[in-house]
Amino acid sequence: MQLLRALTSTLALVLLVLTSATANSSPVAVSTTPIVSKPVGIRQLARNVFRRAAQPRRAATAYFETPITLTGSVVGADGQPLAGATIWLEGGEACARTNEKGDFALLLPTSGPVSLICTAQGCRQQGMQLSTGHQPNDIYFVLRPTDNQ
């Protein structure tokens, strides 16, 4: 009960300060539009404040997209693994290099289509379109040598 009285008196003091500040300001700063449509007493205002405070709050929901780890391998036209080939997400910063066995792992976003590009020294660049979340986990690139004539 004491808390209710303290909050009510604090609210009344704030309202008093606000109304006196509005009355003492210049005529240009005073708004003629009423804030409330009908006058509300301090008790009714306090009841409304406490009623809103007592209402259960909905929990905030945050959605975090977890990245997908895409694995695959890169081989040459002869079927031998290509070490040091680069695979990257077109328009993004995700990038991976193949190990000595030609294998790679790349983190992809979880929504929307993505374009992967694979390149290696002495080979033509190859691209692949994927729909994240629906792609197979083992991607296989076969790079052809460049035509140097």
Side-chain angles (χ1 to χ4, degrees):
M1 193 63 164
Q2 288 179 347
L3 178 63
L4 179 62
R5 286 183 185 149
L7 286 174
T8 305
S9 62
T10 304
L11 187 59
L13 182 62
V14 168
L15 288 174
L16 181 64
V17 169
L18 288 175
T19 54
S20 66
T22 306
N24 293 336
S25 63
S26 65
V28 176
V30 175
S31 174
T32 57
T33 306
I35 296 174
V36 290
S37 59
K38 61 181 182 177
V40 178
I42 296 295
R43 286 185 181 175
Q44 182 63 35
L45 191 58
R47 274 191 220 120
N48 290 343
V49 168
F50 285 115
R51 188 176 301 137
R52 287 187 184 150
Q55 290 176 348
R57 301 283 182 224
R58 289 188 298 173
T61 306
Y63 296 98
F64 297 100
E65 292 189 6
T66 55
I68 296 171
T69 302
L70 178 71
T71 58
S73 58
V74 180
V75 296
D78 58 355
Q80 296 298 316
L82 287 176
T86 305
I87 300 91
W88 74 89
L89 186 64
E90 186 176 18
E93 296 180 11
C95 180
R97 282 196 170 276
T98 57
N99 61 14
E100 63 277 349
K101 296 178 185 174
D103 298 330
F104 68 91
L106 182 66
L107 288 175
L108 298 177
T110 59
S111 61
V114 295
S115 296
L116 290 178
I117 299 175
C118 181
T119 187
Q121 187 174 10
C123 296
R124 283 190 254 170
Q125 177 176 305
Q126 183 182 356
M128 183 181 296
Q129 292 283 330
L130 297 174
S131 175
T132 57
H134 299 96
Q135 79 277 2
N137 199 26
D138 267 340
I139 301 300
Y140 193 70
F141 284 102
V142 179
L143 296 184
R144 309 271 181 235
T146 55
D147 296 326
N148 291 333
Q149 296 178 0

